[in-house]
Amino acid sequence: MKITVNNLRKTYDGKQVLSVDSLEVKKGCITGIIGPNGSGKSTLMRLISGIEKADSGTVAFEDKKASEETWKGITLVFQKPYLINTTVYENIAYPLKLRGAGKDEISRRVETMLELLELGSIRHRNARTLSGGEGQKAALARAMVFEPQLLLLDEPTANIDPKSIYIMEKAIRHINEKVGATVLLVTHNVRQLKRLCSYGIFMNNGSVEIQGAVGSLFEDLDNTPMGSFISEEFII
Amino acid sequence: MEYIMEGFKEAFKLLLSFDSEVYGIFLLTLYVTLMSTVISTIIAVPLGIMIGLKKFKMKKALIRLLYTLMSMPPVIAGLIVYLILSRRGPLGELQLLFTPAAMIIAQVTLVTPIITGIVYNSTRDRGESIRQLAHTMGANKKQAFALLIFELRADLLGAIVSGFGRAISEVGAVMLVGGNIKGHTRVMTTSIAMLQSMGDYSQAIAIGIVLLLISFGVNSILYHSQQVN
């Protein structure tokens, strides 16, 4: 699913937090968004996902305005996902039930996700009792189980252990390669951006400063805000 | 001390004799309380959710008013309903004063703000996250509402039980609008108040025991559901 953003503006309490003149996310690719805290990455994700409305500007999906059907093919995983107060299995089955899937189909798809994200052993645990990494994996499984056309991920691997990051990255590649989903990923991790994404967007002060192939973000680093962002990232 | 023990003995005898007057009081109490709790729930749950989720002008003022009404003294609620239903009041023609219907109206006036306030607090804390999850999962409005109810189920049950507790233990408002008429509007709390003033402790204790048992039962259900959740 191609995303086209034009003149998108968002203000909170009188302060403009997002001002994107033009942005295009390519269909079927994994695109990473990187940038310092407060650069508008999460706000952009929330506006694209439709959970918040922009003050002005447009977000088009395949050059069309979003309809109710469009939203059914788009999902967002938050950094701190909300998990339903039931088992891991039921959490993952939830979007399939919303779509009226049959019992056999639900079972088959949920089992695939449990295996892909290595959640089989905790399928009967209440999702509220999971650790941070387990919760993120369950949320990713829930978002992927209905094979969305567009998967929005807002720092899904922040503060979790390397093994869980590896499993989640493998799952993200799976949905992109096997299902053809477009993935838009917010990350603070430069290495993850290079590992996973073919396209990159650098945001700063609410604006898109660089967009293009991931390699283009790392050109002329001495003279771009991306350069100073990366140096800070490596100092940390 | 002896007269208290004697009161307890008489109370158990009265309960086991299935005295029609005493059991009539129990049934009327349950009827009035359950009806007022059901009506309050129907009004308060959607109202609390709406206030918790929506942004609108004067919301802060409305919440302050809601919190004030949550702690409204029962006699004030009783007085307001009495004035409205009295012969010269705006709804005097309905001739509801000193009927169980008037008692239900008074209890609804008391209980609705309590349930609304508790539901509002729960929705304010978690409603937006639940709404966002429902949207990102592709839920329509009905499905999103169903998820909200499912997620807030323990809080909703707590709110309803609190409302029921308030209604069943209330004496001032039902006394004012019901009049404590024997066989017609006499409920457990008004009955205990009257029996105490008359020095008839055995019947007062018998009714008090049943009132406590109902309270115990209702709170056990609440505790059990919270443990399950």
PDB file of all heavy atoms in Angstrom, chain A residues 203-221:
ATOM      1  N   MET A 203      13.588  12.574  10.340  1.00  0.00           N
ATOM      2  CA  MET A 203      12.735  13.681  10.778  1.00  0.00           C
ATOM      3  C   MET A 203      13.445  14.497  11.853  1.00  0.00           C
ATOM      4  O   MET A 203      14.170  13.958  12.689  1.00  0.00           O
ATOM      5  CB  MET A 203      11.413  13.153  11.348  1.00  0.00           C
ATOM      6  CG  MET A 203      10.524  12.525  10.291  1.00  0.00           C
ATOM      7  SD  MET A 203       8.885  12.122  10.919  1.00  0.00           S
ATOM      8  CE  MET A 203       8.179  13.763  11.117  1.00  0.00           C
ATOM      9  N   ASN A 204      13.214  15.791  11.803  1.00  0.00           N
ATOM     10  CA  ASN A 204      13.797  16.687  12.799  1.00  0.00           C
ATOM     11  C   ASN A 204      12.864  17.879  12.988  1.00  0.00           C
ATOM     12  O   ASN A 204      12.347  18.425  11.999  1.00  0.00           O
ATOM     13  CB  ASN A 204      15.177  17.151  12.301  1.00  0.00           C
ATOM     14  CG  ASN A 204      16.025  17.702  13.434  1.00  0.00           C
ATOM     15  OD1 ASN A 204      15.796  17.395  14.607  1.00  0.00           O
ATOM     16  ND2 ASN A 204      16.994  18.535  13.089  1.00  0.00           N
ATOM     17  N   ASN A 205      12.597  18.269  14.208  1.00  0.00           N
ATOM     18  CA  ASN A 205      11.720  19.415  14.506  1.00  0.00           C
ATOM     19  C   ASN A 205      10.370  19.339  13.785  1.00  0.00           C
ATOM     20  O   ASN A 205       9.883  20.340  13.262  1.00  0.00           O
ATOM     21  CB  ASN A 205      12.405  20.735  14.150  1.00  0.00           C
ATOM     22  CG  ASN A 205      13.608  20.980  15.026  1.00  0.00           C
ATOM     23  OD1 ASN A 205      13.604  20.628  16.210  1.00  0.00           O
ATOM     24  ND2 ASN A 205      14.656  21.541  14.438  1.00  0.00           N
ATOM     25  N   GLY A 206       9.807  18.169  13.706  1.00  0.00           N
ATOM     26  CA  GLY A 206       8.478  18.011  13.116  1.00  0.00           C
ATOM     27  C   GLY A 206       8.445  17.933  11.599  1.00  0.00           C
ATOM     28  O   GLY A 206       7.366  17.839  11.014  1.00  0.00           O
ATOM     29  N   SER A 207       9.609  18.002  10.960  1.00  0.00           N
ATOM     30  CA  SER A 207       9.632  17.988   9.487  1.00  0.00           C
ATOM     31  C   SER A 207      10.440  16.807   8.976  1.00  0.00           C
ATOM     32  O   SER A 207      11.321  16.293   9.669  1.00  0.00           O
ATOM     33  CB  SER A 207      10.278  19.262   8.937  1.00  0.00           C
ATOM     34  OG  SER A 207       9.671  20.377   9.486  1.00  0.00           O
ATOM     35  N   VAL A 208      10.158  16.446   7.714  1.00  0.00           N
ATOM     36  CA  VAL A 208      10.960  15.423   7.055  1.00  0.00           C
ATOM     37  C   VAL A 208      12.149  16.130   6.412  1.00  0.00           C
ATOM     38  O   VAL A 208      11.983  17.006   5.560  1.00  0.00           O
ATOM     39  CB  VAL A 208      10.126  14.677   5.984  1.00  0.00           C
ATOM     40  CG1 VAL A 208      11.018  13.768   5.142  1.00  0.00           C
ATOM     41  CG2 VAL A 208       9.020  13.867   6.652  1.00  0.00           C
ATOM     42  N   GLU A 209      13.357  15.762   6.839  1.00  0.00           N
ATOM     43  CA  GLU A 209      14.536  16.447   6.305  1.00  0.00           C
ATOM     44  C   GLU A 209      15.198  15.649   5.184  1.00  0.00           C
ATOM     45  O   GLU A 209      15.750  16.224   4.264  1.00  0.00           O
ATOM     46  CB  GLU A 209      15.529  16.722   7.429  1.00  0.00           C
ATOM     47  CG  GLU A 209      14.923  17.646   8.480  1.00  0.00           C
ATOM     48  CD  GLU A 209      15.917  18.585   9.117  1.00  0.00           C
ATOM     49  OE1 GLU A 209      17.115  18.335   9.012  1.00  0.00           O
ATOM     50  OE2 GLU A 209      15.450  19.563   9.732  1.00  0.00           O
ATOM     51  N   ILE A 210      15.168  14.327   5.317  1.00  0.00           N
ATOM     52  CA  ILE A 210      15.736  13.483   4.267  1.00  0.00           C
ATOM     53  C   ILE A 210      14.785  12.309   4.040  1.00  0.00           C
ATOM     54  O   ILE A 210      14.263  11.745   4.997  1.00  0.00           O
ATOM     55  CB  ILE A 210      17.132  12.914   4.665  1.00  0.00           C
ATOM     56  CG1 ILE A 210      18.060  14.013   5.177  1.00  0.00           C
ATOM     57  CG2 ILE A 210      17.784  12.188   3.481  1.00  0.00           C
ATOM     58  CD1 ILE A 210      19.322  13.476   5.856  1.00  0.00           C
ATOM     59  N   GLN A 211      14.559  11.933   2.794  1.00  0.00           N
ATOM     60  CA  GLN A 211      13.833  10.703   2.496  1.00  0.00           C
ATOM     61  C   GLN A 211      14.430  10.083   1.248  1.00  0.00           C
ATOM     62  O   GLN A 211      14.820  10.772   0.323  1.00  0.00           O
ATOM     63  CB  GLN A 211      12.333  10.953   2.328  1.00  0.00           C
ATOM     64  CG  GLN A 211      11.935  11.996   1.311  1.00  0.00           C
ATOM     65  CD  GLN A 211      10.404  12.113   1.192  1.00  0.00           C
ATOM     66  OE1 GLN A 211       9.703  11.115   1.092  1.00  0.00           O
ATOM     67  NE2 GLN A 211       9.909  13.333   1.202  1.00  0.00           N
ATOM     68  N   GLY A 212      14.520   8.792   1.244  1.00  0.00           N
ATOM     69  CA  GLY A 212      15.080   8.090   0.094  1.00  0.00           C
ATOM     70  C   GLY A 212      15.600   6.732   0.493  1.00  0.00           C
ATOM     71  O   GLY A 212      15.238   6.209   1.554  1.00  0.00           O
ATOM     72  N   ALA A 213      16.438   6.160  -0.371  1.00  0.00           N
ATOM     73  CA  ALA A 213      17.044   4.869  -0.040  1.00  0.00           C
ATOM     74  C   ALA A 213      17.827   5.020   1.263  1.00  0.00           C
ATOM     75  O   ALA A 213      18.336   6.121   1.565  1.00  0.00           O
ATOM     76  CB  ALA A 213      17.958   4.432  -1.158  1.00  0.00           C
ATOM     77  N   VAL A 214      17.887   3.957   2.054  1.00  0.00           N
ATOM     78  CA  VAL A 214      18.514   4.066   3.382  1.00  0.00           C
ATOM     79  C   VAL A 214      19.922   4.664   3.289  1.00  0.00           C
ATOM     80  O   VAL A 214      20.299   5.518   4.103  1.00  0.00           O
ATOM     81  CB  VAL A 214      18.553   2.668   4.069  1.00  0.00           C
ATOM     82  CG1 VAL A 214      19.591   2.630   5.175  1.00  0.00           C
ATOM     83  CG2 VAL A 214      17.196   2.372   4.677  1.00  0.00           C
ATOM     84  N   GLY A 215      20.649   4.278   2.258  1.00  0.00           N
ATOM     85  CA  GLY A 215      22.010   4.788   2.092  1.00  0.00           C
ATOM     86  C   GLY A 215      22.063   6.304   2.000  1.00  0.00           C
ATOM     87  O   GLY A 215      23.023   6.933   2.496  1.00  0.00           O
ATOM     88  N   SER A 216      21.029   6.911   1.420  1.00  0.00           N
ATOM     89  CA  SER A 216      21.041   8.374   1.230  1.00  0.00           C
ATOM     90  C   SER A 216      20.994   9.124   2.558  1.00  0.00           C
ATOM     91  O   SER A 216      21.390  10.292   2.632  1.00  0.00           O
ATOM     92  CB  SER A 216      19.882   8.803   0.331  1.00  0.00           C
ATOM     93  OG  SER A 216      18.658   8.556   0.983  1.00  0.00           O
ATOM     94  N   LEU A 217      20.511   8.475   3.605  1.00  0.00           N
ATOM     95  CA  LEU A 217      20.456   9.124   4.917  1.00  0.00           C
ATOM     96  C   LEU A 217      21.850   9.303   5.506  1.00  0.00           C
ATOM     97  O   LEU A 217      22.059  10.145   6.387  1.00  0.00           O
ATOM     98  CB  LEU A 217      19.614   8.285   5.893  1.00  0.00           C
ATOM     99  CG  LEU A 217      18.121   8.603   5.999  1.00  0.00           C
ATOM    100  CD1 LEU A 217      17.402   8.330   4.705  1.00  0.00           C
ATOM    101  CD2 LEU A 217      17.472   7.818   7.126  1.00  0.00           C
ATOM    102  N   PHE A 218      22.775   8.493   5.007  1.00  0.00           N
ATOM    103  CA  PHE A 218      24.113   8.495   5.607  1.00  0.00           C
ATOM    104  C   PHE A 218      25.134   9.230   4.745  1.00  0.00           C
ATOM    105  O   PHE A 218      26.327   9.130   4.964  1.00  0.00           O
ATOM    106  CB  PHE A 218      24.553   7.038   5.872  1.00  0.00           C
ATOM    107  CG  PHE A 218      23.633   6.328   6.832  1.00  0.00           C
ATOM    108  CD1 PHE A 218      22.553   5.591   6.358  1.00  0.00           C
ATOM    109  CD2 PHE A 218      23.805   6.441   8.202  1.00  0.00           C
ATOM    110  CE1 PHE A 218      21.675   4.969   7.238  1.00  0.00           C
ATOM    111  CE2 PHE A 218      22.941   5.816   9.077  1.00  0.00           C
ATOM    112  CZ  PHE A 218      21.863   5.078   8.598  1.00  0.00           C
ATOM    113  N   GLU A 219      24.637   9.988   3.772  1.00  0.00           N
ATOM    114  CA  GLU A 219      25.547  10.771   2.923  1.00  0.00           C
ATOM    115  C   GLU A 219      25.802  12.134   3.563  1.00  0.00           C
ATOM    116  O   GLU A 219      24.921  12.704   4.186  1.00  0.00           O
ATOM    117  CB  GLU A 219      24.918  10.972   1.530  1.00  0.00           C
ATOM    118  CG  GLU A 219      24.902   9.685   0.704  1.00  0.00           C
ATOM    119  CD  GLU A 219      24.045   9.826  -0.556  1.00  0.00           C
ATOM    120  OE1 GLU A 219      23.541  10.929  -0.824  1.00  0.00           O
ATOM    121  OE2 GLU A 219      23.895   8.809  -1.252  1.00  0.00           O
ATOM    122  N   ASP A 220      27.007  12.625   3.398  1.00  0.00           N
ATOM    123  CA  ASP A 220      27.397  13.971   3.846  1.00  0.00           C
ATOM    124  C   ASP A 220      27.051  14.203   5.322  1.00  0.00           C
ATOM    125  O   ASP A 220      26.468  15.233   5.692  1.00  0.00           O
ATOM    126  CB  ASP A 220      26.703  15.021   2.949  1.00  0.00           C
ATOM    127  CG  ASP A 220      27.359  16.392   3.069  1.00  0.00           C
ATOM    128  OD1 ASP A 220      28.516  16.451   3.541  1.00  0.00           O
ATOM    129  OD2 ASP A 220      26.709  17.393   2.708  1.00  0.00           O
ATOM    130  N   LEU A 221      27.405  13.253   6.131  1.00  0.00           N
ATOM    131  CA  LEU A 221      26.997  13.297   7.546  1.00  0.00           C
ATOM    132  C   LEU A 221      27.588  14.480   8.319  1.00  0.00           C
ATOM    133  O   LEU A 221      27.025  14.906   9.329  1.00  0.00           O
ATOM    134  CB  LEU A 221      27.378  11.981   8.247  1.00  0.00           C
ATOM    135  CG  LEU A 221      26.539  10.762   7.838  1.00  0.00           C
ATOM    136  CD1 LEU A 221      27.040   9.510   8.532  1.00  0.00           C
ATOM    137  CD2 LEU A 221      25.060  10.954   8.172  1.00  0.00           C
TER     138      LEU A 221
END
